[in-house]
Amino acid sequence: MWCLELLLPLLLFISDASCQWNVWLPRDISAMTNSCVVIPCTFMYPSGIRPSRGIHGIWYFGQPYPQLFPPVVFKSRTDVVHESYKGRTKLLGDLHQRNCTLLINNIGTEHSGRYYFRADLGGANIYTYPDFTELKVLDQPNIDVPEEIVSDESLELTCYAPDNCPDMTPEIQWMYTDYLPDPEFSTDLVEESNTAVLSNTLTFTPRPMHNGQLLGCRVYYPNTTLAYERLISLDVKYAPRSVWVNASSEVMEGSSVTLHCEVDSNPPARIAWMFGDQELLWDTASNVSLMLDDVTPANEGIYTCVGDNGYGIMNTSLYLAVKYPPHEPVVNDSITVVEGTTLALHCSTQGSPAPTLTWLKDGQLVGTITADELSVLTIVEITPQGDGQYRCLAENEHGRASSSLNITVEYAPVLLEESKCTVVREGVQCVCMATGNPEPTIEFYLPDLNITINETDGRYNFYTHTDGHTSTGMIKLREKGERVDNGSPAVNVHCSISNAYGRESILLELQQEKKYMMAVIVGTIGGVAVIAFIIAAVRYVGHNNKKENGNPRQDVVLENPALYYSAVKKDKQNLRKKVLKTELLGSKFNSILEETTGEDGDYQSVGTMAGLERQELNYASLEFIGARSREGASGRRDDGSNYTEIKAK
């Protein structure tokens, strides 16, 4: 404490060499409650300043800014100080000697904090120094306890008490040392930055039996009632002595299992559950349990419990076996390839026991069955028929699992056999069908007219349809065109099919053309023949009537009108039957007969792009009138013969 007296002349010498506002005081200082403390202080100011009214000083608590009204600890001009410092403070130094040392008596814990000094040299020469002293007021001594107290190793425990009060010198005693083996005590006084600390060190070698034993440090001031105590409990540490875990076990996949570990050590060890090199769980305790829920094959292996408290390590291991059916196989991702590509499909899984692997395509077996956890299916130069779903099936005695992938094969367009041109009722219809991936684009080209058809306009009916990888295009040609020598329509249509992998143009053949033309010719000739026959029959009967009766229109009377119309209707039905019978000569194309036969029986030409318009066939109406003789209504002549008059209505 009294080393301050030796340092002050040196500080004053330094102050003479300085021309700035500076202060020196200890950064930290401590004291026991209800005792006192001296804060050493030396200040300096610029040499050019001449105090006109002497030198005064002020001590502040908490902060250095007067405008914030900090508590005044001491003021040399007046005795006005903060309530909590009244009668407690005294300036020990001489301000004219630039000594600002402060004494605080009967301090309490509420006085802990920062203390600032302010020099007042008169006029504007007032300055608060930013440096401060941090005062710590203690209500019990400090004991320096090592972080580790290890059994059978020498231990030192040190008790500290501040010695910054000039009127009272503390003393230190250790308590409850009777059960310690050969304890030793040593006292020391340490002064740093004009602050003093008294210490007493206890040295001994602890044993496990001393774990938990109480030790105490007592600080007291002779000739006073001031005494302070602090107790500690010895924590004698030792390495783990035992580690216990479950026995090795076997579990089914999906179940739960608990692995338990207990470690005997002091302090409680850091218990860690290890799976290989991976730490799964740890805690500082006497026991730790590892819960494994929904166990999978990945959980199978060796588990080790490691106890480490810093003074020793011990571990014990167990093996956990997991039984399980095959897991969902891992296969290639679904892919899109070009025709001709060679593929290798991989299927891997895990199971206990090892599963069998089977490859299926669209439900059908492909490749070979493999009794392993890996199977490779090789497809050499894949074709469009290889397109589809591939499934890998894994099986063992515990169950089965499968995974699928889709292979999409892209290829150039291929024309289908259904592509053709045919004669239809409206004219000529051309159909073009192609398969490919991506779906082919279809266009029609008429080389004679240098026209590409890919949409519907006023002359062409065009439409397309896509179903899967198959595209269908169709046009109907309604315009009339020329005919070749055999009478067939001159059809010249090209179909163009294309996608990203190719383009092809094909001339579409005219299918079933002869059958259609035969139906037209036979139907037309048959219809004309029937009509000619009917006309000839009518003329023949009329001629005979003229010979027998003279004027057949003379004196004709209908005796039975109902019978007349019934007979006419019957004759019309018979006539239709004859015509239809003739139409059957054209087989299933009898409709063409109606379309190509007009009222006058003339033939309607069909050209390359002919639109065959449907026309109704009208039949001549024949009325068969039962005539009577000139003599009466009996209808018999004098010679007894009957006659019938045919009259066109």
Side-chain angles (χ1 to χ4, degrees):
M1 177 63 191
W2 304 114
C3 65
L4 178 61
E5 298 176 358
L6 299 177
L7 292 175
L8 286 177
L10 178 61
L11 294 174
L12 293 175
F13 173 78
I14 296 175
S15 67
D16 291 337
S18 175
C19 296
Q20 301 297 326
W21 294 96
N22 289 313
V23 69
W24 179 93
L25 39 73
R27 182 71 174 180
D28 297 292
I29 196 168
S30 59
M32 303 302 296
T33 57
N34 300 319
S35 67
C36 69
V37 64
V38 173
I39 302 176
C41 175
T42 299
F43 68 97
M44 294 170 286
Y45 55 86
S47 58
I49 298 177
R50 297 291 182 266
S52 60
R53 298 180 181 180
I55 300 176
H56 298 277
I58 304 174
W59 280 93
Y60 290 129
F61 175 77
Q63 54 186 340
Y65 308 110
Q67 61 270 27
L68 298 179
F69 303 104
V72 177
V73 177
F74 173 82
K75 191 172 184 179
S76 61
R77 286 183 179 273
T78 65
D79 295 334
V80 178
V81 297
H82 191 270
E83 184 69 25
S84 61
Y85 291 96
K86 284 185 177 181
R88 298 175 185 267
T89 59
K90 179 181 180 181
L91 188 66
L92 299 182
D94 185 354
L95 295 178
H96 291 86
Q97 298 296 324
R98 303 176 187 178
N99 187 337
C100 50
T101 302
L102 179 69
L103 170 65
I104 306 176
N105 290 303
N106 194 24
I107 60 176
T109 55
E110 68 274 11
H111 297 122
S112 296
R114 296 179 178 182
Y115 288 80
Y116 296 86
F117 178 70
R118 179 180 175 87
D120 183 0
L121 306 182
N125 299 316
I126 302 175
Y127 184 80
T128 301
Y129 296 93
D131 295 337
F132 60 86
T133 290
E134 182 82 23
L135 173 62
K136 296 180 181 179
V137 181
L138 309 177
D139 58 359
Q140 61 180 358
N142 290 324
I143 298 179
D144 186 7
V145 180
E147 293 183 359
E148 299 178 354
I149 302 178
V150 183
S151 176
D152 301 321
E153 293 185 4
S154 179
L155 171 65
E156 289 185 355
L157 301 177
T158 302
C159 179
Y160 299 95
D163 186 13
N164 294 307
C165 184
D167 297 332
M168 295 184 294
T169 301
E171 292 188 7
I172 301 175
Q173 291 181 342
W174 283 96
M175 302 181 295
Y176 313 119
T177 60
D178 296 342
Y179 298 98
L180 298 181
D182 303 322
E184 296 180 0
F185 306 95
S186 60
T187 302
D188 192 12
L189 178 64
V190 178
E191 293 188 8
E192 294 182 358
S193 302
N194 283 340
T195 63
V197 176
L198 182 67
S199 66
N200 191 307
T201 300
L202 168 64
T203 304
F204 69 101
T205 300
R207 301 285 186 268
M209 61 179 298
H210 299 123
N211 183 47
Q213 180 176 334
L214 291 177
L215 285 178
C217 174
R218 184 173 183 269
V219 176
Y220 67 97
Y221 292 90
N223 302 320
T224 69
T225 59
L226 299 179
Y228 311 90
E229 295 180 355
R230 183 174 182 180
L231 298 178
I232 61 171
S233 176
L234 292 180
D235 188 8
V236 181
K237 301 176 181 179
Y238 55 90
R241 298 184 178 184
S242 65
V243 178
W244 177 88
V245 297
N246 309 60
S248 297
S249 58
E250 184 177 285
V251 297
M252 283 296 299
E253 180 184 21
S255 61
S256 299
V257 64
T258 300
L259 306 183
H260 189 70
C261 177
E262 293 184 2
V263 177
D264 178 16
S265 66
N266 189 30
R270 180 186 187 276
I271 302 176
W273 273 107
M274 306 290 295
F275 182 57
D277 295 333
Q278 180 184 5
E279 185 176 82
L280 303 179
L281 175 68
W282 73 269
D283 193 9
T284 301
S286 60
N287 62 83
V288 173
S289 295
L290 175 63
M291 301 289 296
L292 298 177
D293 296 323
D294 194 14
V295 175
T296 67
N299 299 124
E300 182 171 351
I302 297 175
Y303 291 80
T304 302
C305 177
V306 181
D308 182 3
N309 66 350
Y311 308 102
I313 300 177
M314 181 174 287
N315 64 77
T316 302
S317 300
L318 62 86
Y319 187 84
L320 179 65
V322 180
K323 297 296 181 181
Y324 54 94
H327 286 182
E328 180 179 345
V330 178
V331 298
N332 306 62
D333 294 331
S334 296
I335 55 175
T336 298
V337 298
V338 181
E339 179 182 9
T341 302
T342 297
L343 301 176
L345 305 183
H346 293 77
C347 175
S348 61
T349 186
Q350 292 181 343
S352 180
T356 59
L357 300 178
T358 305
W359 279 102
L360 302 172
K361 178 185 179 295
D362 297 330
Q364 301 298 321
L365 176 66
V366 292
T368 58
I369 300 176
T370 304
D372 200 350
E373 293 184 348
L374 175 65
S375 176
V376 179
L377 175 64
T378 301
I379 304 175
V380 180
E381 296 183 356
I382 192 168
T383 64
Q385 289 72 30
D387 188 288
Q389 184 186 72
Y390 291 77
R391 183 165 66 99
C392 178
L393 175 64
E395 298 178 282
N396 71 2
E397 63 187 50
H398 297 294
R400 60 169 55 187
S402 66
S403 294
S404 302
L405 72 147
N406 291 317
I407 296 180
T408 302
V409 181
E410 294 187 342
Y411 54 95
V414 178
L415 188 69
L416 300 181
E417 295 180 355
E418 292 82 355
S419 301
K420 60 187 176 181
C421 289
T422 56
V423 177
V424 296
R425 182 171 56 190
E426 295 83 359
V428 176
Q429 176 176 287
C430 295
V431 177
C432 183
M433 297 183 65
T435 181
N437 191 11
E439 296 84 356
T441 299
I442 295 179
E443 294 181 343
F444 291 94
Y445 176 64
L446 306 180
D448 295 338
L449 301 178
N450 193 23
I451 295 176
T452 298
I453 302 175
N454 53 19
E455 62 182 8
T456 300
D457 60 19
R459 297 173 297 168
Y460 310 106
N461 291 329
F462 169 81
Y463 79 92
T464 59
H465 173 69
T466 299
D467 185 7
H469 296 160
T470 301
S471 295
T472 302
M474 187 181 73
I475 60 172
K476 292 183 180 180
L477 306 178
R478 302 191 300 273
E479 297 181 351
K480 296 183 179 181
E482 297 181 356
R483 294 176 172 274
V484 296
D485 296 339
N486 61 3
S488 301
V491 177
N492 190 10
V493 179
H494 289 255
C495 174
S496 175
I497 55 177
S498 64
N499 67 5
Y501 298 100
R503 172 181 289 273
E504 185 177 0
S505 182
I506 305 97
L507 174 63
L508 299 179
E509 296 182 358
L510 184 62
Q511 302 290 331
Q512 300 178 350
E513 184 178 8
K514 295 182 179 180
K515 294 182 179 181
Y516 279 104
M517 295 308 299
M518 183 60 70
V520 173
I521 295 171
V522 173
T524 303
I525 295 174
V528 173
V530 170
I531 294 173
F533 172 77
I534 295 173
I535 293 173
V538 171
R539 290 179 178 177
Y540 174 77
V541 174
H543 180 70
N544 289 338
N545 287 340
K546 288 180 181 180
K547 288 182 180 181
E548 295 178 359
N549 301 322
N551 186 1
R553 300 179 62 86
Q554 203 172 15
D555 300 325
V556 177
V557 180
L558 293 177
E559 295 181 348
N560 192 340
L563 180 60
Y564 163 76
Y565 284 107
S566 176
V568 171
K569 183 177 181 182
K570 180 176 182 182
D571 291 338
K572 286 185 177 181
Q573 292 175 348
N574 291 334
L575 180 58
R576 285 185 179 273
K577 290 180 179 179
K578 290 179 181 181
V579 174
L580 291 175
K581 181 175 182 182
T582 303
E583 290 174 351
L584 291 176
L585 294 175
S587 185
K588 62 182 179 179
F589 306 108
N590 57 340
S591 62
I592 298 177
L593 176 59
E594 297 179 5
E595 298 169 1
T596 57
T597 304
E599 293 180 358
D600 55 357
D602 293 335
Y603 175 79
Q604 303 293 322
S605 63
V606 179
T608 304
M609 291 167 267
L612 301 180
E613 303 295 339
R614 180 179 181 89
Q615 300 178 7
E616 182 180 359
L617 179 61
N618 297 321
Y619 299 95
S621 177
L622 303 180
E623 298 179 359
F624 297 90
I625 304 173
R628 65 186 179 196
S629 64
R630 299 188 181 192
E631 293 80 5
S634 63
R636 298 180 65 88
R637 299 188 59 176
D638 296 338
D639 57 3
S641 62
N642 296 326
Y643 70 93
T644 302
E645 180 178 355
I646 300 176
K647 179 181 180 182
K649 183 178 179 181

